[in-house]
Amino acid sequence: MKGQMMQQPLLISSLLQHAEACHGDSEIVSRRVEPAQGEARFHRYDWAALAPRARQLARALRRLGIGAGDRVGTLAWNGYRHLELYYAVSGSGAVIHTVNPRLFPEQIAWIVNHAEDQVVCFDLDQAPLVQKLAPQCPGVKAWIALGDAALGAALEGIPALLCYEDLLA
């Protein structure tokens, strides 16, 4: 239609493509929640590295059955994996649903159930909270720990548990 201000729709995926193409070398720095042995306290990378990981995550969520309009909850701080989630979930047509981990567990369970979150992603320091929440949230198909398989016993008792880095691999 002539006269429109934009020649293309304003989509989250196009914002990520622009950041990757025009600001690919701009650094993104975030504090790690739980540095493993020998890892730096901060995580550093750029938009050129973030973009393919976000696209990979979008494909992984699709393989889990997450489609347009489905809700993906997060119990996470503002780290690099959470940023990747913003772009992957929104860019795939699903809805990212950030949940305040400072609320009482009963309130969080009600929010997750009311939103009908299909998947909930959480930072590792939220594992004790997720262990309490999981039995109260039967509609959640998968709980995704924002880490890798070397997470150990801290995640015992969480049903349908997946590890973020393994999901991307």
Side-chain angles (χ1 to χ4, degrees):
M1 174 188 255
K2 292 194 183 250
Q4 288 187 337
M5 194 163 113
M6 295 185 64
Q7 302 303 315
Q8 66 185 34
L10 182 60
L11 303 172
I12 293 292
S13 55
S14 61
L15 293 175
L16 183 58
Q17 288 168 351
H18 174 79
E20 180 182 24
C22 299
H23 306 285
D25 61 350
S26 294
E27 190 175 38
I28 302 166
V29 181
S30 62
R31 182 185 270 287
R32 290 182 183 272
V33 173
E34 70 318 308
Q37 293 293 349
E39 286 188 17
R41 192 79 179 134
F42 294 92
H43 179 270
R44 297 173 183 274
Y45 69 157
D46 54 29
W47 289 102
L50 180 146
R53 284 177 56 89
R55 287 191 288 271
Q56 218 173 338
L57 179 57
R59 288 189 294 274
L61 290 171
R62 203 172 308 122
R63 282 193 310 271
L64 287 176
I66 302 301
D70 288 339
R71 267 81 61 212
V72 175
T74 65
L75 283 164
W77 308 112
N78 291 330
Y80 70 101
R81 290 179 179 122
H82 204 194
L83 181 60
E84 292 168 2
L85 277 164
Y86 282 148
Y87 284 102
V89 173
S90 301
S92 67
V95 177
I96 190 160
H97 175 230
T98 58
V99 182
N100 184 349
R102 294 181 181 102
L103 296 172
F104 292 111
E106 299 79 22
Q107 293 171 314
I108 295 173
W110 185 89
I111 291 168
V112 167
N113 289 326
H114 187 265
E116 298 178 358
D117 290 338
Q118 301 293 304
V119 171
V120 176
C121 304
F122 63 96
D123 272 333
L124 300 181
D125 65 339
Q126 302 301 319
L129 173 62
V130 170
Q131 288 168 334
K132 293 177 190 173
L133 291 175
Q136 300 174 47
C137 301
V140 175
K141 295 177 187 175
W143 298 87
I144 301 175
L146 298 179
D148 58 31
L151 300 172
L155 300 174
E156 287 181 9
I158 300 173
L161 177 67
L162 299 170
C163 295
Y164 184 90
E165 294 300 332
D166 294 342
L167 195 60
L168 287 183

